[in-house]
Every structure is written in structure tokens, then in C-alpha cells.
């Protein structure tokens, strides 16, 4: 069997891939060595800007299978038949650290699913927590700046982290999640995933429901203590990536059961919490979980850079039957995610194999830009409407319209009867066992005690006191004990 021929990027055969062309033996190299210049120039450009957040990621392909009839709530095609399967790609990630960070750290985890449906790609961009730190996107850049490396010291600073939280009482709920036992998953396979935001489903009759997504791991939830995580991160920074890769390679395919909470649209205005506030959950006793289907991962990417690093998820990628809600953070992300990908990957990133539709074909009038390959055929027009049988609009909205009233301006979210920043954080604390509470207190105190300003510490302690008196007292005592040592 003859060997395949190594070629340049233009397809010309390479005669020597071991020695550069030179002016005589031992002489200077020649500018005319096209193969050398091409290799070096390409090598210089192999790295693209990493994601500002969620930089450190792993991913896999699989499928989603419908197990329960939900056609009374949504007319989304990929959910219309029990037993129907849709190919998916799922990317896991840490949030705050860089691409070179360790997997086993205390940080929320991204849980982003791309459904390759027959009506186009549907992207569900969530986390492994049902809530988030802030409720308005205008605060998001400041929040991330406070959590990332300080521009002077070049490291994450407890002063910055806790100072932002001191001035953002709405973060108390998510801080309680993050510092609790589920703050460091043992692996990507052993954590739940959540849509976190509130979305909208619309059925065939036009009835609207607000929906929250819950992916429950079928492997069981397993987490690491701070000490276990520190040891694992030092021994194997790639622990979660390795675990996911090896599990799928040996046929132990991880899976999750998707449940949803469904709220009739008419309930939203009078619900005791603002249902569109991403710092809040909907208690299950109000809106019980309803099973939808099963997500299975069964194939690893062939190339991590091409398929994981270049995977682009945008929460504005909806399909008929699914749409947005007035969730402010979601509204901001509808723009921010797609814009981030245009910056990192270019305007034609949707043509990359991992991002392109698989069960249908994208037909539009987008043209040109870097790495354009979207000619749409010979003599195809790049405008609409036209007289040349180009693709046309359907006139059918993807989801039900949202009612709006009032004046433009910068408004705080409308208040509901139980809308404070501390009630649900206290509820979460009171759900914990005594051992879980002790670990939570120790984790918070370990970070808060490192803060240099007393006023920042006191502001944070006030949040925990407001959530639950015992919670606040125990954190305060633990912080004072650590600072006296």
C-alpha cells in the first residue's frame, strides 16, 4: 500500500519536511522556502482569542430522545413524537478561569447543548446551577472583572471577589450554591445541568407557557471537597476532560434526564417571585418537574480545537415553538453570545461543521466576510425580496408575542410579594444537613477571611444574616476565628 503524499496547503507535494532550504550547507535560510514560511506563519496563527468566560471546556456528541408527550405545551418539531431522536453536541466548561486552568476548581460549570433539529439548531446555554449571581446584564462585565485576574497582581483577588458581592446582595443565593457541597463537581458526568433562565414554549394553538429546564444526571450527583479538589487539580489539571473522554471511549455513555417546570403565561404577573429573575428558582411544589426526555453522550470529538474550542452557542438560536422571556439576563445574552463568536471566530463561524445545521440546510442572504464559503450557488442573489426564487419568509412567529406597557427608561424589575435578595438563599441553607451547613460556612469563611477591608467583610456578613440568622452568625464566628489566628 503506497503512502499518502504530504502536501502544502495549496496541494503541492512536499519534498523535504525535515530540513529548511538554505544558501549552501550551513548557510542562511531562503525566503523562497514556501513550505517553511507557510508552516511558521500558520503556527503563529493557530491560537484564536479565548473566550472571556467559559474558556476552559470539554465536549461530546450524542442524542436527545423524547420519552414523554409535551405537545400540549410546545409545537417544537424535535419534541413532537415520543421516541424521536435528535443529534446534540454538549459543551461543559468552567466560568472564571482561563483556557489553561484546572478542571477541579470551585466555580460554576457551563452546560451548553446544541440540538441539531430539522427546523434549525436550537441552543440551550445554561449552567450546573439553577440561578446566577446578577439579574441585569449591565452588571455582567463588572461581575466578571471582579472574578478574573486582577490587572495589577495578575491573580484572582479575594478583595475583588467579595467586594463585588458585598455590593450585590442578589448574589447571595448563588454564592450559597457555589460555596456549598455542589460547588466542585467530581466530574462533568456527575453534575446536573440547568437552563437557568426562563424561556417560553408555545403550543400549536398559540397558548404560551414559561419554562425552566432541568437536566438531572443519571450517574448520580457527586462532588469534591475543597481539599480533594486541590489535590486533584495539582495531580491532574485535566481531570474532568480525561474522565469524560475515557468514559465515552470505553462505552460508558453518560446521560441526563430532562425535566421542565411549566408556568402558564397568565400566572407570571401574580407569582410571588419575579419568574424572570435568574437569581431566583421556582419551588417545585408550585410547578413540579415534568419529564421530557433523555440526553445521551456517545461520541468524542475528533479534534478538540475544531469541535470544542470553535463550538459556538447562542441563546438566540431558537426554533418554532420556543422563544425568549423578559428575563433581563437572557435578553442581554441574546446579543452578547453571538457577538462574542463573531469576534473570536469570525462572521462565518456558523459555517463550521460543529455549528452548522445537520438535519436541515441554512438558507439566507448572508455573504462574504472572512473565510466565506456561502456563495449559495451560481448567480444566486444576495438580497430579498427578489424575483429569482430565493428563500422567503414564512410569516409564522417562532413563539407567542410578549405583552409590553409603560415608558422607555432604566427601570428596576417589578416587585413581587416575595422578591427580596435573601429569602431563597435562606431556604437553601435550611434545606442543608448539619454537615452540609458546616462545610458551607467553612468554604465561605475561608475566602471572606482573606479580604483586607473590614467594611467589605461586614457588608457580606449582613447578607448572610439577612438570609438566615444562624447562617449569618456561624459565618461571622468562623471569619472572626480565622482572622484572629
Amino acid at each position: 500500500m503506497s503512502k499518502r503524499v504530504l502536501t502544502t496547503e495549496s496541494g503541492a507535494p512536499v519534498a523535504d519536511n525535515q530540513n529548511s532550504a538554505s544558501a549552501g550547507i550551513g548557510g542562511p535560510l531562503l525566503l523562497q522556502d514556501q513550505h517553511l514560511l507557510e508552516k511558521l506563519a500558520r503556527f503563529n496563527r493557530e491560537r484564536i482569542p479565548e473566550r472571556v468566560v467559559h474558556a476552559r471546556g470539554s465536549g461530546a456528541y450524542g442524542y436527545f430522545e423524547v420519552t414523554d408527550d409535551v405537545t400540549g405545551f410546545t409545537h417544537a418539531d424535535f419534541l413532537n413524537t415520543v421516541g424521536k431522536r435528535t443529534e446534540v453536541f454538549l459543551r461543559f466548561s468552567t466560568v472564571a478561569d482561563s483556557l489553561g486552568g484546572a478542571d477541579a476548581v470551585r466555580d460554576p460549570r457551563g452546560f451548553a447543548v446544541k440540538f441539531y433539529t430539522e427546523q434549525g439548531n436550537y441552543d440551550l446555554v445554561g449552567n450546573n446551577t439553577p440561578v446566577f449571581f446578577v439579574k441585569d446584564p449591565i452588571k455582567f462585565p463588572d461581575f466578571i472583572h471582579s472574578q478574573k485576574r486582577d490587572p495589577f497582581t495578575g491573580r484572582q483577588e479575594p478583595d475583588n471577589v467579595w467586594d463585588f458581592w458585598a455590593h450585590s446582595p442578589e448574589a447571595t443565593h448563588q454564592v450559597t450554591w457555589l460555596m456549598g457541597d455542589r460547588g466542585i463537581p467530581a466530574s462533568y458526568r456527575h453534575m446536573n445541568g440547568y437552563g437557568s433562565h426562563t424561556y417560553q414554549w408555545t403550543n400549536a394553538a398559540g397558548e404560551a407557557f414559561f419554562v425552566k429546564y432541568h437536566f438531572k444526571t443519571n450517574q448520580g450527583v457527586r462532588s469534591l471537597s475543597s481539599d480533594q479538589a486541590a489535590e486533584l487539580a495539582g495531580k491532574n489539571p485535566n481531570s474532568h476532560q480525561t474522565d469524560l473522554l475515557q468514559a465515552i471511549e470505553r462505552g460508558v455513555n453518560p446521560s441526563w434526564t430532562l425535566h421542565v417546570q411549566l408556568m402558564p403565561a397568565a400566572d407570571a404577573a401574580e407569582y410571588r417571585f419575579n419568574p424572570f429573575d435568574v437569581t431566583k428558582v421556582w419551588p417545585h411544589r408550585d410547578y413540579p418537574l415534568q419529564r421530557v426526555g433523555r440526553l445521551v453522550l456517545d461520541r468524542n470529538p475528533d479534534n478538540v480545537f475544531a469541535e470544542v474550542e470553535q463550538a459556538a452557542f447562542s441563546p438566540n438560536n431558537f426554533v418554532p415553538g420556543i422563544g425568549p422571556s423578559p428575563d433581563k439576563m437572557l435578553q442581554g445574552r441574546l446579543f452578547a453570545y453571538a457577538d462574542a463568536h463573531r469576534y473570536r471566530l469570525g462572521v462565518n463561524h456558523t459555517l463550521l461543521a460543529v455549528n452548522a445545521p445537520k438535519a436541515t440546510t441554512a438558507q439566507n442572504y448572508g455573504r462574504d466576510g472572512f473565510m466565506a464559503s456561502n456563495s449559495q450557488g451560481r448567480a444566486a442573489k444576495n438580497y430579498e425580496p427578489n424575483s429569482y426564487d430565493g428563500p422567503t419568509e414564512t410569516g409564522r412567529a417562532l413563539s407567542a408575542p410578549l405583552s409590553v406597557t409603560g415608558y422607555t427608561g432604566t427601570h428596576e424589575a417589578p416587585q413581587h410579594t416575595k422578591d427580596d435578595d435573601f429569602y431563597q438563599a435562606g431556604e437553601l441553607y435550611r434545606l442543608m444537613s448539619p454537615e452540609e451547613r458546616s462545610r458551607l460556612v467553612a468554604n465561605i469563611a475561608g475566602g471572606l477571611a482573606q479580604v483586607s477591608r473590614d467594611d467589605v467583610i461586614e457588608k457580606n456578613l449582613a447578607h448572610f444574616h439577612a438570609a438566615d440568622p444562624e447562617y449569618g452568625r456561624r459565618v461571622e464566628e468562623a471569619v472572626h476565628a480565622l482572622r484572629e489566628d
Side-chain angles (χ1 to χ4, degrees):
M1 182 177 178
S2 60
K3 292 184 178 180
R4 291 187 297 159
V5 173
L6 176 66
T7 74
T8 64
E9 292 186 30
S10 62
V14 173
D16 190 340
N17 194 42
Q18 313 305 316
N19 303 287
S20 302
S22 62
I25 298 175
L29 302 186
L30 299 176
L31 187 63
Q32 72 183 39
D33 189 343
Q34 185 264 347
H35 182 48
L36 170 66
L37 299 186
E38 181 179 87
K39 286 185 70 176
L40 292 179
R42 182 175 185 85
F43 180 76
N44 286 345
R45 293 162 175 80
E46 282 183 354
R47 294 297 175 264
I48 62 175
E50 71 173 43
R51 290 168 168 87
V52 177
V53 289
H54 297 277
R56 172 76 181 169
S58 304
Y61 294 94
Y63 62 87
F64 177 78
E65 181 177 5
V66 179
T67 57
D68 294 77
D69 182 7
V70 291
T71 55
F73 307 105
T74 177
H75 64 90
D77 182 74
F78 77 103
L79 298 174
N80 67 6
T81 306
V82 172
K84 187 169 189 174
R85 288 189 176 186
T86 299
E87 185 178 356
V88 301
F89 181 78
L90 198 160
R91 185 178 186 269
F92 306 97
S93 56
T94 53
V95 175
D97 214 341
S98 63
L99 187 59
D103 289 338
V105 293
R106 187 171 297 279
D107 198 14
R109 299 302 192 276
F111 193 99
V113 187
K114 187 181 293 291
F115 298 84
Y116 299 102
T117 89
E118 295 171 1
Q119 296 177 304
N121 291 350
Y122 172 45
D123 290 353
L124 182 58
V125 183
N127 286 322
N128 71 327
T129 61
V131 292
F132 194 63
F133 296 94
V134 294
K135 63 181 73 174
D136 193 301
I138 205 166
K139 299 183 70 170
F140 184 74
D142 298 295
F143 163 62
I144 294 300
H145 287 168
S146 75
Q147 309 297 303
K148 300 284 275 189
R149 296 176 185 271
D150 182 88
F152 174 66
T153 66
R155 65 188 185 189
Q156 189 182 56
E157 291 292 346
D159 276 357
N160 300 353
V161 171
W162 289 96
D163 186 38
F164 182 88
W165 288 342
H167 291 88
S168 303
E170 73 226 56
T172 308
H173 193 187
Q174 173 71 314
V175 169
T176 304
W177 270 90
L178 178 63
M179 297 299 174
D181 278 1
R182 296 193 182 189
I184 314 177
S187 80
Y188 290 132
R189 297 182 296 129
H190 293 92
M191 69 181 195
N192 293 336
Y194 302 89
S196 300
H197 296 292
T198 299
Y199 295 90
Q200 185 202 74
W201 276 7
T202 309
N203 65 18
E207 295 175 292
F209 301 84
F210 292 116
V211 60
K212 283 186 175 289
Y213 295 88
H214 302 250
F215 291 88
K216 299 290 189 179
T217 176
N218 294 325
Q219 291 70 237
V221 172
R222 287 178 48 202
S223 303
L224 301 172
S225 69
S226 296
D227 290 342
Q228 290 172 324
E231 181 179 359
L232 180 59
K235 289 181 177 178
N236 181 11
N238 304 304
S239 56
H240 290 32
Q241 160 69 17
T242 300
D243 175 85
L244 181 67
L245 173 76
Q246 293 181 347
I248 295 175
E249 286 298 292
R250 65 178 188 266
V252 181
N253 298 328
S255 66
W256 290 258
T257 299
L258 172 61
H259 298 81
V260 293
Q261 289 177 283
L262 291 161
M263 174 187 292
D267 289 8
E270 302 301 325
Y271 189 50
R272 67 184 189 278
F273 307 113
N274 178 357
F276 311 119
D277 179 351
V278 74
T279 69
K280 305 282 196 304
V281 297
W282 302 352
H284 292 182
R285 63 181 176 271
D286 294 345
Y287 297 98
L289 295 180
Q290 302 186 45
R291 193 176 65 175
V292 180
R294 185 171 67 115
L295 186 152
V296 179
L297 299 181
D298 59 7
R299 179 167 66 89
N300 284 309
D302 294 328
N303 184 292
V304 171
F305 176 81
E307 299 165 86
V308 179
E309 183 64 14
Q310 293 193 125
F313 298 84
S314 299
N316 59 357
N317 287 343
F318 292 113
V319 293
I322 303 177
S325 79
D327 180 333
K328 281 189 172 184
M329 278 298 295
L330 172 61
Q331 292 284 322
R333 283 171 167 158
L334 296 180
F335 162 76
Y337 275 63
D339 187 60
H341 303 318
R342 295 184 191 105
Y343 161 68
R344 293 183 61 247
L345 304 170
V347 70
N348 287 305
H349 67 273
T350 55
L351 303 179
L352 297 171
V354 69
N355 299 323
K358 295 182 182 295
T360 186
T361 302
Q363 301 182 90
N364 54 61
Y365 295 94
R367 298 289 191 277
D368 306 336
F370 288 112
M371 302 299 291
S373 61
N374 51 349
S375 69
Q376 305 289 342
R378 184 177 182 182
K381 304 303 178 184
N382 66 340
Y383 59 89
E384 196 279 335
N386 62 59
S387 303
Y388 295 87
D389 198 30
T392 59
E393 63 197 24
T394 66
R396 298 188 298 273
L398 297 185
S399 57
L402 297 170
S403 174
V404 295
T405 59
Y407 298 93
T408 60
T410 55
H411 305 289
E412 292 187 5
Q415 289 294 301
H416 294 234
T417 56
K418 288 288 187 179
D419 267 345
D420 66 68
D421 294 322
F422 310 112
Y423 176 79
Q424 289 200 352
E427 288 283 89
L428 179 58
Y429 176 80
R430 289 183 286 274
L431 283 173
M432 295 180 180
S433 69
E435 294 78 13
E436 289 174 319
R437 294 183 188 184
S438 295
R439 290 188 290 268
L440 169 67
V441 168
N443 290 333
I444 293 174
L448 191 54
Q450 299 178 55
V451 174
S452 61
R453 291 182 51 144
D454 290 342
D455 61 326
V456 172
I457 294 175
E458 292 303 319
K459 286 176 182 175
N460 278 285
L461 291 176
H463 297 168
F464 302 122
H465 279 291
D468 183 273
E470 177 194 292
Y471 188 9
R473 175 183 58 78
R474 293 185 63 180
V475 173
E476 182 171 4
E477 291 173 353
V479 169
H480 288 167
L482 288 172
R483 288 172 67 82
E484 289 172 358
D485 287 345

